[in-house]
Amino acid sequence: MTIETKLAELEITLPDAPAPAANYVPYVISGNLLFVSGQISALKGKLGADLAVEDGAEAARGCGLALLAQARAALGSLDRVKRVVKLGGFVNSTAEFTDQPEVVNGCSNLMVEVFGDKGRHARAAVSAPALPRGVAVEIEAVFEIE
């Protein structure tokens, strides 16, 4: 089954790949690795203050959809993804908030849902006192490609 077929089966529609917001490129291919720049959530706010874990997880899923859109733009087809290698998740949160892993799971779960075992990855899920434009979550990715 192709990844596009899998996405349709899961009723997932990818957004257009977002344009860079500053002086950087949305992705870089080096050898057999695709590095996708951090994708920010549409949701703004701070976890532990005005947002709940569930809100953050949904925002992280949105970041994951944008990561997949960037990967498809870079590769022409998500079928070229051999494995999701690593996600780096940043959560705009209060000093007392400690559920960053549960927030970033919104993206991790999407990768496994779409790619199966090839979607299991190494990961960082860290707190940030602020993120660009006041967003709740930013996530970057590394994919191994064929």
Side-chain angles (χ1 to χ4, degrees), residues 3-12 14 68 78 114:
I3 296 300
E4 292 297 329
T5 302
K6 181 71 172 179
L7 289 171
E9 181 182 278
L10 295 170
E11 298 181 2
I12 295 173
L14 296 183
L68 294 177
L78 290 174
V114 171

Side-chain angles (χ1 to χ4, degrees), residues 81-145:
V81 173
K82 188 172 179 181
R83 144 166 232 124
V84 181
V85 176
K86 185 172 184 190
L87 298 179
F90 305 90
V91 180
N92 183 354
S93 55
T94 64
E96 299 78 26
F97 186 81
T98 59
D99 290 331
Q100 291 82 5
E102 288 76 13
V103 169
V104 179
N105 275 349
C107 184
S108 292
N109 294 345
L110 174 68
M111 295 301 161
V112 174
E113 196 176 349
V114 171
F115 294 108
D117 282 340
K118 297 187 317 182
R120 298 193 184 285
H121 50 272
R123 185 180 89 175
V126 299
S127 179
L131 288 175
R133 296 170 176 51
V135 301
V137 181
E138 179 175 356
I139 302 177
E140 63 184 4
V142 179
F143 298 92
E144 182 181 6
I145 60 174

